[in-house]
Amino acid sequence: MDLTPERPQSARLDSYVDRYAARTAGMTASEIRALFAVASRPEVVSLAGGMPNISGLPLDVVGGAIADLVAQHGAVAMQYGSGQGVPELREQITEVMRLEGIHAHPDDVVVTVGSQQAVDLVTRVFCDPGDVVICEAPSYVGALGVFKSYQCEVVHAEMDAHGLVPEALRQAIASVKAAGGTIKFLYTIPNFHNPAGVTMSAERRTEVLAICRSEGILVLEDNPYGLLGFDHEPIRALRADEAENVIYLGSFSKTFAPGFRVGWALAPHPVREKLVLAQESATLCPPQFSQMAVSAYLANHDWQGQIKQFREMYRERRDAMVDALSDLMPAACRWNVPDGGFYVWLTLPDGVNAKAMLPRAVTARVAYVPGTAFFADGFGSGSMRLSYCYPTPTRIREGVRRLAGVVEAEMELRATFGASTPAREVGPQGYDGPSTDLS
């Protein structure tokens, strides 16, 4: 008698595939997440991930503050809290934002689980399937993932070395309107952009705000790096000049530590109420313990002095990256010199495809993020994001040395067998894609 269990006639990797909501089609792993397993190997120099370097944090001070928190306020810190966030922390957040010219009331601050959740909550509150979000080209991969998961259409507007190009924004708005689309907001990272590393000029900030105001388009200002400028005091935020049409997102992940997962949204009062309701439905309340730990750090430590130390550390690593690129990369490569933040955007020689080249780079024990991760429409193959925030200057130079060897070998292959990527990418409908050269 055959006791072998009967096999289904058609095997599926996911037997639940017919039961999922339609929106799950937009839930895909980012190219950065796919890199993590490889890039975390000790033999690989990772210029890919944007992990803050918290080695400069006084861990004894932080540990002492947390011990005091548990001893003195543990019963409160480990309990449920408000869906809007701890009042003391919201007051301190308004003090942090004053450094960028923002004068706000704590009642209009909503604490979130990192600024990533704030992007999610804003999108949930404003966007229906098919609505349009305008994003810079390139744009933050985490935000693009959120917009896709809510079935939004992303329309890119070109950037250059001075940030979002106002005329490109006007063209994007006009094209969406001509197609009958509904634009819900502009998503922008004006300071030390992720991934582009550029900063929007003061003149363009004024013009971008005026365009969005006249068109009735909300601005979602994501500013996790704003206090990490290398050569000047914090830049005035968009929200400082436009209180009613800008939602501002901030985070302690880059200026303190990402493990606490504490960010925030500053929104006009009616929007704030909707964000609190969305927060309560998602998490009931943001973690009380993390909020109170961050609050204790801000109250008992020279956090502004600590940020200055971070700025100097990241400036040193930026200099190491730029010097190594200048010394080692082929002359046909181009890159920007960021004046803050974590990232350099590198444009490869014509015909070299960063995504196709990545397996060879990993074999050479160096990792980066291909530019295609930062576009919703498949562009960016001729560029890559390089992160200098985490490796030491010595490791940065070694990583660039390895990467330069891979690029040179790729150029030789292309010279022999022909280029696979045109100098200017063209989409399936003949769309002339945004330039990815931000140098």
Side-chain angles (χ1 to χ4, degrees):
M1 182 177 180
D2 186 4
L3 299 178
T4 303
E6 184 179 349
R7 294 184 179 181
Q9 292 183 350
S10 60
R12 285 181 170 180
L13 293 176
D14 186 350
S15 60
Y16 298 91
V17 68
D18 295 328
R19 308 182 195 183
Y20 293 133
R23 74 178 73 89
T24 61
M27 297 178 181
T28 56
S30 74
E31 295 184 31
I32 297 177
R33 175 183 162 191
L35 274 173
F36 276 164
V38 171
S40 62
R41 297 175 187 169
E43 70 273 15
V44 175
V45 178
S46 177
L47 306 177
M51 290 191 303
N53 194 320
I54 60 173
S55 61
L57 270 179
L59 296 183
D60 55 340
V61 173
V62 176
I66 292 175
D68 291 343
L69 173 63
V70 173
Q72 299 173 20
H73 306 287
V76 175
M78 290 184 279
Q79 187 54 271
Y80 288 121
S82 161
Q84 188 172 354
V86 172
E88 292 82 3
L89 179 60
R90 289 191 278 115
E91 178 70 45
Q92 291 165 313
I93 286 171
T94 64
E95 296 173 6
V96 173
M97 293 189 294
R98 284 193 194 102
L99 297 176
E100 298 168 327
I102 296 174
H103 296 278
H105 196 281
D107 284 352
D108 290 329
V109 174
V110 180
V111 180
T112 57
V113 185
S115 61
Q116 178 72 22
Q117 192 203 25
V119 175
D120 185 280
L121 295 179
V122 171
T123 308
R124 186 192 310 182
V125 164
F126 279 97
C127 294
D128 293 314
D131 284 344
V132 173
V133 176
I134 296 180
C135 297
E136 293 148 331
S139 192
Y140 168 51
V141 62
L144 294 178
V146 169
F147 304 147
K148 187 175 181 181
S149 72
Y150 282 101
Q151 298 171 288
C152 300
E153 298 292 332
V154 170
V155 173
H156 284 297
E158 191 163 339
M159 302 174 71
D160 62 18
H162 304 288
L164 178 61
V165 178
E167 185 55 36
L169 175 59
R170 290 191 183 92
Q171 292 174 3
I173 294 170
S175 67
V176 173
K177 286 188 170 183
T182 301
I183 303 170
K184 285 301 177 73
F185 55 81
L186 164 69
Y187 174 77
T188 178
I189 305 174
N191 300 325
F192 323 127
H193 191 276
N194 177 8
V198 303
T199 296
M200 193 186 302
S201 68
E203 296 78 14
R204 289 192 180 179
R205 290 167 191 255
T206 301
E207 191 169 358
V208 166
L209 286 174
I211 292 169
C212 291
R213 190 186 315 115
S214 67
E215 296 287 349
I217 297 172
L218 187 69
V219 177
L220 185 56
E221 178 182 15
D222 197 357
N223 192 34
Y225 309 96
L227 300 184
L228 295 177
F230 301 148
D231 304 312
H232 45 69
E233 293 304 307
I235 301 168
R236 188 173 176 84
L238 296 174
R239 170 58 175 72
D241 295 316
E242 186 75 61
E244 291 304 313
N245 202 47
V246 176
I247 298 176
Y248 175 98
L249 309 184
S251 174
F252 290 108
S253 292
K254 312 302 187 294
T255 56
F256 180 27
F260 289 99
R261 305 306 301 130
V262 176
W264 71 90
L266 172 66
H269 195 78
V271 177
R272 186 236 39 198
E273 183 61 24
K274 291 292 190 296
L275 293 178
V276 172
L277 293 174
Q279 168 76 281
E280 289 174 345
S281 70
T283 64
L284 188 61
C285 61
Q288 183 103 327
F289 187 90
S290 293
Q291 295 177 74
M292 293 182 71
V294 173
S295 180
Y297 169 80
L298 295 173
N300 300 304
H301 184 62
D302 179 14
W303 59 271
Q304 293 193 51
Q306 185 64 57
I307 289 174
K308 289 180 180 178
Q309 293 182 35
F310 283 145
R311 289 167 60 180
E312 291 305 314
M313 178 179 63
Y314 293 134
R315 183 210 300 267
E316 179 187 23
R317 283 161 166 74
R318 185 276 311 266
D319 291 346
M321 173 71 78
V322 172
D323 289 347
L325 292 172
S326 298
D327 292 344
L328 301 171
M329 291 298 286
C333 293
R334 300 174 299 283
W335 57 88
N336 62 313
V337 179
D339 58 352
F342 289 1
Y343 306 108
V344 166
W345 183 257
L346 184 142
T347 301
L348 293 163
D350 289 348
V352 178
N353 186 313
K355 189 170 184 178
M357 188 178 71
L358 183 57
R360 290 183 280 279
V362 171
T363 300
R365 295 172 298 150
V366 61
Y368 57 84
V369 184
T372 49
F374 307 101
F375 290 82
D377 47 16
F379 291 98
S381 62
S383 299
M384 64 176 67
R385 188 191 76 177
L386 301 177
S387 172
Y388 53 78
C389 54
Y390 193 77
T392 64
T394 300
R395 290 281 283 176
I396 289 170
R397 188 169 186 87
E398 174 59 21
V400 172
R401 185 193 67 78
R402 297 176 188 180
L403 179 60
V406 175
V407 174
E408 288 169 353
E410 194 73 7
M411 292 172 65
E412 292 177 5
L413 284 173
R414 295 293 176 254
T416 302
F417 299 106
S420 62
T421 305
R424 179 82 166 180
E425 295 165 293
V426 178
Q429 282 78 41
Y431 166 59
D432 189 13
S435 172
T436 59
D437 183 3
L438 303 178
S439 58

